[in-house]
Amino acid sequence: MSLSGRRVVLGVSGGIASYKACTVARRLTEAGAAVDVVLTAGGAQFVGPVTFEALTGRPVLTSLWERDRALAHVHLGHDTDLIVVAPATAHLLARAALGLADDILTAILLAARVPILIAPAMNDHMFAHPATQQNLEILRRRGWTVVGPVVGPLAEGPSDQRGRMVEPEVLFAFVERALRASTSRLRDRCVVITAGPTREPLDAVRVITNPSSGKMGYALAEEAFARGARVLLISGPTMLSPPPGVEIRRVRSTDDLQQAVEDALPGADVLVMAAAPADFRSAAPEPHKRPRREGQITLTLTPTADVLETTVDARPPHCVVVGFALELADGTQRAREKLRLKQLDLIVLNYVNEADAGFEVDTNRVTLITPDGETVLDLMPKRAVAQHILDAVEARV
Ligand code: CTP
């Protein structure tokens, strides 16, 4: 569990988005964090303390005047790793910016000696109001991290202006990053990750591609973001949503991928080539849709560029480069050969013909190979594989 032993105060103020705070409390608890929920009077009107106590397994604070928990505001402001306020209403932001301490949550915020992350949520006009913008600016200058709000439906109906709180999964990603980045060597580093297949046209509608889902690359992007990296995800066509906080550049063909990698490399500290580029393209793609009744086709296929090999010279000298090797059987020798030819620091060997690993599934079974050693890993979720890969990268950064 990635957040074992970590302590989080989750402040909830009075907005309808407090229903999302329930999911955040649950996700943090499942990830191993001890979550102390603190409700304002308005927050408790929307979701009661019993709900949060059931979700976190810990008592919830609602008042400064609980006699058996005197000084709780001071203790919680100090003996915790992070304070999160979600939702943060316009009124809460105003009170915090002024330094008021008229309830348990604002008292904790004033006594705090730990990082603070807030997820504003309110009516779009309230958010756009100069008073709210000024308060947010004050809090940002104090070092608070502000996540959202985003454009989306509000309690009063559809809106094309910002005001809606970010979704729980997005907030969770930022909370995880706030908790984990300080101990990672990838913090503030530029990590470029490629993911998914590429497509090479045969005619106007048909393509050569492969069954890569992009899941391994997307898991790597999520994990790198959680470690505090600036992440650029170069993605071929996939059905996946971009991970929160990650910059995405979409590509189609292997040539597009090569161009995108070339553009990104000068600023990159790490390159992980998890993409499965199409290795062949039609020598003469047809501009029209070829009718089936024309019968059998003979295609001449030519190899596409090898992105890793052709971009060796564009790599900054300190850049740590990771490749993958997809093999049929006994792949260690072939993977070592690719490691050498493509001048990699690490190659991740996996096999094509395993039902629970490789393409399209959520798990993978890999061996990490470096010039001087190898580590065989058991079957595990791709996010856990991503952790092992990035641990190995951190050792080389
Ligand atoms: N790769 C690349 N450009 C390509 C094909 C692959 O940069 N046109 C990268 C992949 O992203 C991966 C590594 O090279 O990180 C190895 O890919 P793999 O498909 O195993 O090997 P190939 O080099 O394509 O060799 P072969 O098809 O002969 O196994």
Side-chain angles (χ1 to χ4, degrees):
M1 290 199 291
S2 62
L3 301 181
S4 291
R6 311 313 295 271
R7 290 194 61 181
V8 178
V9 168
L10 175 60
V12 180
S13 59
I16 179 58
S18 49
Y19 78 90
K20 294 181 181 172
C22 300
T23 307
V24 174
R26 186 59 172 184
R27 284 285 281 119
L28 289 168
T29 305
E30 281 170 356
V35 183
D36 288 304
V37 173
V38 178
L39 299 178
T40 65
Q45 290 290 324
F46 283 94
V47 184
V50 174
T51 299
F52 285 111
E53 281 176 0
L55 291 171
T56 63
R58 295 172 71 84
V60 166
L61 275 157
T62 55
S63 165
L64 270 172
W65 307 108
E66 288 173 36
R67 301 272 278 283
D68 55 337
R69 298 191 72 184
L71 294 179
H73 61 292
V74 177
H75 296 143
L76 285 177
H78 293 201
D79 309 330
T80 194
D81 296 300
L82 179 71
I83 299 173
V84 181
V85 184
T89 59
H91 186 55
L92 187 280
L93 298 180
R95 290 192 294 145
L98 266 180
L100 298 186
D102 56 346
D103 69 359
I104 178 76
L105 180 54
T106 47
I108 290 172
L109 291 170
L110 203 59
R113 295 288 172 271
V114 299
I116 298 172
L117 188 152
I118 55 173
M122 65 201 72
N123 167 266
D124 47 3
H125 295 285
M126 292 169 83
F127 181 70
H129 195 286
T132 304
Q133 289 303 313
Q134 219 169 344
N135 290 331
L136 270 174
E137 192 43 42
I138 289 170
L139 298 174
R140 269 202 198 91
R141 268 192 270 123
R142 280 182 204 155
W144 293 24
T145 303
V146 182
V147 183
V150 292
V151 174
L154 302 172
E156 56 278 22
S159 164
D160 56 4
Q161 300 297 316
R162 295 174 68 196
R164 183 182 169 86
M165 189 176 127
V166 292
E167 294 309 308
E169 280 310 306
V170 174
L171 185 60
F172 180 82
F174 279 87
V175 171
E176 190 182 11
R177 177 180 172 94
L179 287 168
R180 292 183 56 203
S182 58
T183 54
S184 170
R185 302 188 68 187
L186 293 183
R187 183 185 190 168
D188 295 330
R189 307 272 185 170
C190 173
V191 175
V192 178
I193 295 164
T194 69
T198 60
R199 288 181 186 166
E200 298 297 336
L202 294 176
D203 66 14
V205 297
R206 300 178 180 100
V207 295
I208 300 182
T209 187
N210 60 63
S212 167
S213 61
K215 286 180 176 174
M216 190 63 242
Y218 278 58
L220 280 156
E222 274 172 20
E223 180 61 22
F225 181 74
R227 292 178 186 223
R230 289 178 285 122
V231 184
L232 170 64
L233 176 62
I234 301 174
S235 175
T238 73
M239 302 295 283
L240 305 174
S241 309
V246 163
E247 186 189 341
I248 188 146
R249 178 164 171 184
R250 298 190 186 275
V251 295
R252 281 180 69 82
S253 67
T254 301
D255 272 1
D256 295 344
L257 178 68
Q258 184 186 25
Q259 185 60 54
V261 169
E262 232 164 68
D263 293 346
L265 268 175
D269 298 300
V270 178
L271 169 67
V272 185
M273 275 290 291
D279 284 322
F280 295 94
R281 70 157 76 88
S282 163
E286 294 186 26
H288 309 293
K289 182 181 175 205
R290 185 189 176 97
R292 190 159 50 94
R293 64 178 172 279
E294 284 185 11
Q296 186 172 316
I297 323 171
T298 303
L299 291 169
T300 305
L301 301 179
T302 52
T304 54
D306 188 301
V307 178
L308 276 173
E309 268 186 69
T310 51
T311 53
V312 164
D313 293 340
R315 295 176 193 169
H318 66 274
C319 186
V320 177
V321 183
V322 180
F324 278 69
L326 187 59
E327 305 299 342
L328 275 169
D330 301 330
T332 313
Q333 248 349 85
R334 294 204 70 214
R336 281 210 169 279
E337 189 59 13
K338 288 177 187 177
L339 181 84
R340 193 182 59 77
L341 272 176
K342 303 189 186 211
Q343 301 183 36
L344 307 175
D345 299 286
L346 169 70
I347 194 156
V348 183
L349 167 63
N350 57 168
Y351 289 101
V352 189
N353 43 358
E354 293 185 351
D356 48 8
F359 282 151
E360 288 181 305
V361 292
D362 292 322
T363 47
N364 214 352
R365 185 184 288 109
V366 306
T367 302
L368 307 186
I369 301 178
T370 60
D372 46 13
E374 61 190 67
T375 312
V376 182
L377 299 178
D378 293 334
L379 182 75
M380 58 181 79
K382 285 184 174 170
R383 181 67 187 264
V385 175
Q387 292 187 5
H388 283 278
I389 294 171
L390 293 185
D391 284 347
V393 167
E394 282 200 27
R396 285 162 181 81
V397 158

